[in-house]
Amino acid sequence: MKKFFALFIPLIFLFSLGFSQASVQDIIITPTQLSTLTIKLWINRAVGATYYPGENIYLYFKTSQDAYITIYDYTTDGKLRMIFPNSFQQNNFVRANNVYVIPNPNYNFVISGPNGREVIEAIASTSPGVIPQPRIGNQPFSEIPEGLGYLQNLKIDIVGKPVAVATTYFYVGYVPRVGIVHFDSQPPKASLYVDGIYEGQTPMDLQLQDGDHLAVFWYGTYNVSKVFKVTPNTYQTVSSVIPVLPNYPSIQMFPVDFNTSPSGAMIFVNGKMLGISPCTINLDGGTYEITIVKPDYATIVTQISVNNTQSFNFQIQRLSF
């Protein structure tokens, strides 16, 4: 008989939205250098989605290289626990490009109140021992009594180390109010991360939930961090001047055309939906994972290399039911 464990995720009360008494900058882990290792972390709904008590939640992750993974859950009442590895899944070594899910069939994550926002962070390294591991005891998940102090020490431990970090979050019991934020930078076309999640290149507008957020602007190897507060039903601007060297090469963007037969397919670039075919998407030079999705048609997942103005054509096959 299978064993099931219900994880009731503690969250802060509705009247005290936010990250307990902590600053968002204290919670979000930002790498100090770029790494060839990448990790993607997502939930079974869109980032920032709402779950209600009694519903199950699933976390998924994938790395670009074989790696060792640690996943932390920072609750909005100020508690920190390690949810992977855990007593059910004790091996934290994962293979490249495989999608992993927690919980596995031996236990469940079941949402419970009170209402609030929960943050999940994953850290990956290609070598064991780079990320300190709390001891897995008799409890299903390791609660870390140092809380924010542990996160601060962890940020120091990973300075200069080639680790990859991914973040996601969700809400329980309510749909948060939102505002519109315009992001721009000098120089433009900086890579923008909000609350640890890659959003695209500046300038751009985002709809964000009310409360504190952390933006990190990357331009090449240079980065600037900014904490800002979103006020519901407003339009605001967050700007950054990135102190790059005068002779630092600019990032060149190329228009890339995506065509599908039939048309009307959603085009995802590195997991982010950027257009509906036919469409033109501006990308800088590099390799991208492209996912093409159209209801009732087979999904296409492929990689492209961009180094010039290019056009891609895809034939998608209708599914037979």
Side-chain angles (χ1 to χ4, degrees), residues 23-272:
S23 162
V24 63
Q25 195 166 19
D26 293 331
I27 298 168
I28 302 299
I29 301 171
T30 303
T32 58
Q33 67 179 52
L34 298 178
S35 171
T36 56
L37 171 66
T38 61
I39 179 172
K40 296 180 180 178
L41 173 70
W42 67 99
I43 55 180
N44 58 317
R45 295 180 186 173
V47 61
T50 297
Y51 291 81
Y52 292 91
E55 293 184 323
N56 287 1
I57 184 171
Y58 296 90
L59 308 177
Y60 303 87
F61 60 91
K62 180 176 73 169
T63 59
S64 61
Q65 302 174 34
D66 292 355
Y68 296 85
I69 308 298
T70 304
I71 301 179
Y72 300 98
D73 169 25
Y74 188 84
T75 69
T76 48
D77 61 358
K79 294 180 180 178
L80 180 70
R81 61 169 56 91
M82 182 179 72
I83 59 173
F84 184 85
N86 56 57
S87 62
F88 298 100
Q89 296 171 279
Q90 298 192 21
N91 183 8
N92 71 331
F93 177 75
V94 300
R95 293 293 184 183
N97 298 314
N98 289 343
V99 175
Y100 292 83
V101 59
I102 57 173
N104 67 16
N106 293 320
Y107 64 106
N108 287 335
F109 285 165
V110 180
I111 297 296
S112 177
N115 298 344
R117 178 166 63 169
E118 191 87 2
V119 179
I120 308 294
E121 296 188 271
I123 306 181
S125 171
T126 55
S127 301
V130 172
I131 305 166
Q133 295 288 308
R135 187 177 67 86
I136 299 176
N138 296 326
Q139 297 299 317
F141 305 98
S142 300
E143 187 162 323
I144 303 171
E146 299 88 348
L148 276 181
Y150 179 91
L151 286 181
Q152 298 310 306
N153 290 332
L154 181 61
K155 292 180 182 182
I156 296 172
D157 287 340
I158 66 173
V159 169
K161 295 178 180 177
V163 301
V165 180
T167 304
T168 191
Y169 61 91
F170 58 91
Y171 292 83
V172 169
Y174 78 104
V175 177
R177 298 175 298 171
V178 298
I180 304 297
V181 183
H182 175 75
F183 296 90
D184 60 32
S185 66
Q186 290 297 328
K189 303 191 185 306
S191 296
L192 174 66
Y193 292 78
V194 177
D195 297 337
I197 301 170
Y198 177 70
E199 297 290 355
Q201 292 188 318
T202 59
M204 68 182 309
D205 288 351
L206 291 176
Q207 178 176 276
L208 296 173
Q209 296 85 358
D210 63 328
D212 293 336
H213 297 270
L214 172 66
V216 181
F217 300 80
W218 280 90
Y219 192 89
T221 58
Y222 299 86
N223 71 85
V224 171
S225 300
K226 284 200 168 185
V227 175
F228 62 97
K229 186 178 184 67
V230 172
T231 302
N233 305 316
T234 62
Y235 183 89
Q236 63 192 88
T237 297
V238 176
S239 301
S240 176
V241 177
I242 305 170
V244 301
L245 295 176
N247 60 349
Y248 195 86
S250 61
I251 297 176
Q252 185 175 4
M253 303 291 289
F254 302 103
V256 180
D257 295 330
F258 291 90
N259 302 288
T260 65
S261 179
S263 61
M266 294 179 288
I267 308 298
F268 291 80
V269 179
N270 288 347
K272 187 175 182 65

